[in-house]
Amino acid sequence: MSSESLGGDAFKFEMSGLSDGYIAIGFSDDTQMGNDDIYICGKNATGQIEVQHAFSIGRTRPNGLSLGDVQSIMTSFNNGIINCSFITRNPISTQSKAASNLYFIFLAQGPSSAGQIQKHPRTPFITPQKVNISSYEAVGGTSSTPSIIKAHGALMLIAWMTTGSIGMIFAKYLKNAIGKTLLGKDIWFQIHLSLMVITVAETITAFVLAFVAVMGWANDAEAHAVIGCIVMILSFFQPVIAFFRPSPQSKRRFIFNWFHALNAFVIKVLAVAVIFLGLQMLDPSPSRWMVKTMGGFVGWEALVYITLDANAWLKKKEKYEDSHRKIKNEMVLFLIYTCGNLAFLIALLVGIGKS
């Protein structure tokens, strides 16, 4: 986009970009969406390119404004590239202060439907500092995912790909592989407890970061946010219920065992779904390699679970077990799983860092 001061309060703006729906420029006092003066160049209900004026409140679809004192409008759509230029004498207002010439500039593109703009699929380009739109200067912009969102995604990956998954495996398959105690409890239980407490702490932290990033609950919250809240609620109650579990000798112990296991399974399924949805938001590349990598992880984990189940079934069929064997099959499979788990995790963390 470009801006040119024509004297007085008149500016000429031009914007162009590859899009099948709309492109838009926004003028903001900060690098967060909300309280921004926006000009949109996009398709109307008949498919013609037109200029629209809008104002954003929070992270929802901007509210349309009258075009006002806008003249000399020129539009085109060629080879997938939308181009608009116009002269405006409308004061640029972000409501938090009187109009000035210093703003962070946003440049976004996205789809539209029946003349209504839809959510942009990737983070807008944003100038690294405020720009004086009446002076002569050239500035670049970035569309990097905000660091707080990267931290949110990284914590959720670590929680439900690694610490949570390993903690579940210890509880389900490694109870008999480590026959020692620590602080009066079986070592497998102490490891399971520690890993799941860490997982819940990571989930809570990631949950808080997401709300801080959007400064509350977004009115246009999608499946990722809704399912994420469900994961947070179930994760919070899992250790609380475990704290009040009946003793192993209690007749009601089986109720806790079934509920604890079922709730863990539901949390894991929903967490994986949330991660898939989150990676789709962070990975705009045509190859969608991050989503495919997560799919590879799910396949890897399923293969390991099947192998561990098969190993447990075969052990039940054996008449005796070699008590002199130092390393049991379960531990070998666990070590293999952990190496693969970390490989997938590191790949996705690198992808989030570069998003």
Side-chain angles (χ1 to χ4, degrees), residues 169-227:
I169 284 181
F170 264 95
K172 185 173 177 62
Y173 298 106
L174 302 180
K175 290 182 179 180
N176 300 320
I178 307 176
K180 296 182 180 180
T181 61
L182 177 66
L183 301 177
K185 300 285 186 180
D186 292 336
I187 286 183
W188 75 263
F189 176 78
Q190 298 286 33
I191 295 175
H192 168 73
L193 176 63
S194 300
L195 288 173
M196 298 319 294
V197 168
I198 292 172
T199 299
V200 173
E202 291 165 339
T203 304
I204 293 174
T205 304
F207 182 79
V208 172
L209 289 177
F211 271 83
V212 171
V214 302
M215 294 178 289
W217 179 262
N219 293 330
D220 61 344
E222 298 178 352
H224 177 79
V226 175
I227 300 175

Side-chain angles (χ1 to χ4, degrees), residues 296-355:
F297 166 76
V298 173
W300 167 253
E301 191 166 57
L303 177 62
V304 171
Y305 268 76
I306 292 171
T307 306
L308 285 167
D309 278 328
N311 177 71
W313 180 80
L314 290 173
K315 286 186 69 173
K316 289 181 180 179
K317 292 292 184 180
E318 292 177 356
K319 293 183 178 179
Y320 64 90
E321 184 178 359
D322 185 0
S323 59
H324 299 289
R325 186 171 183 176
K326 294 183 178 180
I327 302 178
K328 298 185 178 182
N329 293 340
E330 297 93 322
M331 292 304 301
V332 174
L333 291 170
F334 168 73
L335 292 174
I336 295 173
Y337 166 75
T338 302
C339 291
N341 181 296
L342 293 176
F344 282 107
L345 175 66
I346 291 171
L348 290 175
L349 289 178
V350 170
I352 288 178
K354 293 182 177 181
S355 67

Side-chain angles (χ1 to χ4, degrees), residues 30 109 151 159 180:
D30 52 38
Q109 61 87 19
K180 296 182 180 180

Side-chain angles (χ1 to χ4, degrees), residues 237-278:
F237 281 109
Q238 185 78 335
V240 173
I241 294 172
F243 181 79
F244 294 102
R245 67 188 181 278
S247 65
Q249 294 77 28
S250 173
K251 294 180 179 179
R252 299 177 181 176
R253 177 73 178 204
F254 77 96
I255 299 176
F256 162 77
N257 290 340
W258 275 101
F259 179 84
H260 192 65
L262 181 61
N263 193 44
F265 176 77
V266 172
I267 294 172
K268 181 60 185 270
V269 171
L270 293 179
V272 169
V274 167
I275 290 173
F276 269 113
L277 293 171

Side-chain angles (χ1 to χ4, degrees), residues 114-165:
Q116 292 289 322
I117 67 172
Q118 307 296 310
K119 184 176 180 179
H120 43 78
R122 61 180 297 174
T123 304
F125 287 91
I126 306 172
T127 55
Q129 67 275 328
K130 286 187 174 181
V131 175
N132 188 342
I133 59 176
S134 63
S135 70
Y136 291 95
E137 64 178 307
V139 295
T142 67
S143 62
S144 175
T145 303
S147 297
I148 193 170
I149 295 298
K150 291 181 181 180
H152 164 80
L155 283 170
M156 288 299 288
L157 285 180
I158 295 171
W160 294 107
M161 282 183 65
T162 303
T163 55
S165 295

